[in-house]
Structures are given as C-alpha cells and as structure tokens.
Amino acid sequence: MLSDGDLQAIWLTLRLAGIVTLILLLIGTPIAWWLARTRAWWKAPVGAVVALPLVLPPSVLGFYLLLAMGPNGPVGAFTQSLGFGTLPFTFWGLVVASVFYSLPFMVQPLQTAFEAVGDRPLEVAATLRASPIDAFFTVAVPLALPGFLSASILTFAHTVGEFGVVLMIGGNIPGQTRVASVQIYDHVEALEYMHAHQLAAVMLVFSFVVLLALYVWRHSPKKGA
C-alpha cells in the first residue's frame, strides 16, 4: 500500500503537471504559431532555444534557473520587490522551472500541427472577410486540434516524470516540493526498496497508459476518412 507521503507526492505531481500544461498551452500556442508561419531569419535561433531543454542536462538548466530566481538574480530581485520573496524551494518555483523544461514538448507538436494546416484554409477564410484572429480560432485551431491533444498529453506526462530540474529548484520539502520522482529517490536512499518499488510501479503504469492511449488514438481510423 502507498504511504501518506507517497499519496501526497503523487497529488503534488499531478497538480504541478496540470498547472504547467495549462500555462504552456497559453504560452506555447503563439510561439508554435509564429514558428509555423514566419519566414524571418531568426526563426532558426528561436526554434533552437525552444528545443534546448531536449538536449541540455537538467542540472545545467536547473542551475541557471536557480541563479536567476535566487535573491541575487534578476527574477529573484523582481519577485522580492513585489513582496513575494524568492521562488526557489517553493511550489511556484517548480512551476516556473517545469514550464521551461517542458516547453519543447508543447511547442514542437503544435508547430507541426499548424504547419500541416497549410495556407489554403486561411486564404479561404480571408476571402470570406475573416480577420487573422478569427481565422486562427475558427480555422487553424479546429484543424490543429489533434496536435493540441498530443502536445498536452506529452507535456503533462513529461512534467510528471521530471527529476533533476525539480530537485535543484524545489529541493525536497514534504507537501511543497517533494514530487513523486523525488519521493522514489528518498525511498531508495533510505533503502526502502519495497516502498520505492510500489511508487515506481504506479508511475510506470501511469506513463505506459498515457503513451498507449496517445498511440492508439493517433493510429485509430478517423471517421469519414
């Protein structure tokens, strides 16, 4: 049976993943749309920055975020001036770090979906006097809906599985920053292998079910096809 600490860590992890996914839907959608539509020369550098967490060691990203959000960093100075204190070792510090770390998992599927829409549907909408904003919400978004679903699922699942970044930014505070991956690490450090196995098995089954649902949905025959 899972302990109260395990259940608390699972709830915190799901809460973190849900909030990060919602934030990245708001942030990642305009970035993905711009990357899919622009022909500007800085598209490649921006795309590289967005994809950087895919190849950057989590400890490196966590280290620089820790400096930026610390008391002597620009973000830390800003949050302190607002009376919020610093973000490291808080739940909202985990949210900020996870947003950066999971950004490519939201942006890249959305960019692919927007590129697949093409120019023709938007041109037709323009001939019907639809504004760019109207065309985006009434044409591009419905056509790219499968991409939104895939991006949201991948972002949520990736955030659930984070370890290095959340450990560096959040530490190991029960009920505040101790997510499921850190809880498993604690069990292993304490030689509590049975507890580690139980929680790890839950996370393994969850990850498998999420990915299985995504692959089954992607390869299921579409109605009307």
Side-chain angles (χ1 to χ4, degrees):
M1 297 293 294
L2 296 176
S3 66
D4 290 340
D6 293 342
L7 294 175
Q8 188 179 57
I10 290 174
W11 163 245
L12 187 67
T13 302
L14 296 177
R15 181 183 170 210
L16 173 65
I19 293 174
V20 169
T21 301
L22 290 176
I23 292 175
L24 281 177
L25 274 172
L26 298 176
I27 296 175
T29 299
I31 296 175
W33 178 251
W34 182 83
L35 287 172
R37 303 290 298 172
T38 187
R39 292 180 174 83
W41 67 267
W42 57 84
K43 173 182 178 178
V46 172
V49 170
V50 169
L52 200 57
L54 293 174
V55 297
L56 198 64
S59 57
V60 174
L61 179 61
F63 172 70
Y64 283 113
L65 287 175
L66 193 62
L67 291 181
M69 295 189 295
N72 298 319
V75 178
F78 177 70
T79 55
Q80 288 181 98
S81 68
L82 296 177
F84 297 135
T86 55
L87 292 175
F89 310 109
T90 67
F91 175 78
W92 292 105
L94 293 186
V95 171
V96 173
S98 298
V99 164
F100 278 99
Y101 193 50
S102 295
L103 182 63
F105 291 87
M106 178 64 72
V107 172
Q108 291 187 346
L110 286 181
Q111 181 183 348
T112 301
F114 286 143
E115 289 173 345
V117 171
D119 295 330
R120 183 60 179 168
L122 300 175
E123 292 171 353
V124 172
T127 62
L128 298 175
R129 298 184 179 180
S131 67
I133 295 179
D134 289 336
F136 174 77
F137 284 105
T138 61
V139 178
V141 170
L143 291 176
L145 197 57
F148 277 94
L149 183 58
S150 297
S152 298
I153 292 174
L154 289 174
T155 300
F156 188 91
H158 180 258
T159 305
V160 166
E162 289 176 355
F163 175 72
V165 169
V166 295
L167 183 62
M168 290 198 68
I169 297 298
N172 192 358
I173 305 174
Q176 297 184 42
T177 63
R178 184 184 290 173
V179 294
S181 58
V182 177
Q183 181 79 349
I184 294 171
Y185 178 77
D186 283 351
H187 285 319
V188 173
E189 271 202 323
L191 302 181
E192 299 171 346
Y193 293 122
M194 181 57 67
H195 292 294
H197 168 68
Q198 291 171 343
L199 184 53
V202 170
M203 303 308 296
L204 176 63
V205 171
F206 170 81
S207 300
F208 175 77
V209 169
V210 168
L211 291 177
L212 178 63
L214 178 60
Y215 277 94
V216 169
W217 175 80
R218 277 181 174 177
H219 294 91
S220 63
K222 303 297 187 292
K223 292 182 178 181

